[in-house]
Amino acid sequence: MNPQAPVYVRAEDDAWPTVVYYHFHAWSGRRPFWAGLFTLLGGFPIAYFPYADLRLGNISLAMATTGGAGALIIGVLLITLGLALWFQATIRVFAGVAAILLALVSIPVSNLGGFFVGFTLSMVGGALALAWAPGQPVEEGEQPPVEPQPGVVGLSKADATADMGTQDVPGPRGTETAHASETTAHADGGRNSAG
């Protein structure tokens, strides 16, 4: 979610596609939308390829393997995790880790992870779910921090504090020596002391 993005306020003359677009954009900005989409899309080839068959005239080529049930379970779980990322953004860490683990398990179980298509999509979706963090809205009247411009010379610390006037800055304590800025090997005539 981009907290600096302008908030859409519907005008009377807006067409319905504009309204739908802005509502969808606001909805997808509050959750790990792309993580859910990649995870959901990764589940389809993993579940589909073990059950797919290709017909060439009278010849039928079937991809059925012994891991068909396992591939179906992995694919359905990935689709469920993708939908959960859309509607329950609070479980993003669990769903991200589960999507990555299921993608890794799909390599030996379901035709090399759906011929690496489902594996790649699920790995990207899981990584995006782990990396996503909800945005923090900007408070009313609070301005976002301004990025320093390249080439602009800022004030030094001494120049910046010179305009502040005298403040209640504590002075040295009575137990400190004048050599406090020196190293302990040189302070107090070369003697080291603890405390």
Side-chain angles (χ1 to χ4, degrees):
M1 176 176 184
N2 185 359
Q4 298 163 345
V7 177
Y8 171 69
V9 179
R10 182 176 183 192
E12 291 296 325
D13 59 346
D14 280 345
W16 69 269
T18 305
V19 173
V20 169
Y21 169 75
Y22 280 111
H23 281 285
F24 174 74
H25 189 66
W27 176 82
S28 66
R30 290 187 297 266
R31 57 195 28 96
F33 175 76
W34 292 106
L37 183 67
F38 279 115
T39 305
L40 182 107
L41 291 177
F44 285 113
I46 290 173
Y48 174 73
F49 285 135
Y51 295 101
D53 60 339
L54 177 65
R55 297 193 188 276
L56 298 172
N58 292 333
I59 300 173
S60 176
L61 299 174
M63 300 287 293
T65 61
T66 56
L72 183 64
I73 291 170
I74 290 171
V76 168
L77 284 174
L78 284 170
I79 291 169
T80 305
L81 286 172
L83 291 172
L85 283 169
W86 281 352
F87 298 108
Q88 293 290 329
T90 56
I91 64 164
R92 69 184 186 280
V93 175
F94 166 75
V97 171
I100 290 172
L101 290 176
L102 286 171
L104 289 171
V105 169
S106 74
I107 291 175
V109 172
S110 94
N111 294 334
L112 298 174
F115 298 115
F116 292 109
V117 174
F119 166 76
T120 305
L121 289 172
S122 299
M123 288 293 282
V124 169
L128 287 174
L130 289 174
W132 185 82
Q136 300 297 327
V138 177
E139 295 295 325
E140 192 80 21
E142 182 182 322
Q143 295 295 326
V146 178
E147 298 279 335
Q149 304 233 348
V152 175
V153 178
L155 295 175
S156 68
K157 185 176 180 180
D159 293 338
T161 57
D163 294 337
M164 294 173 59
T166 59
Q167 295 185 0
D168 296 326
V169 178
R173 293 178 283 186
T175 59
E176 292 180 349
T177 63
H179 306 288
S181 63
E182 296 179 13
T183 62
T184 57
H186 296 82
D188 295 329
R191 292 185 312 266
N192 292 325
S193 63

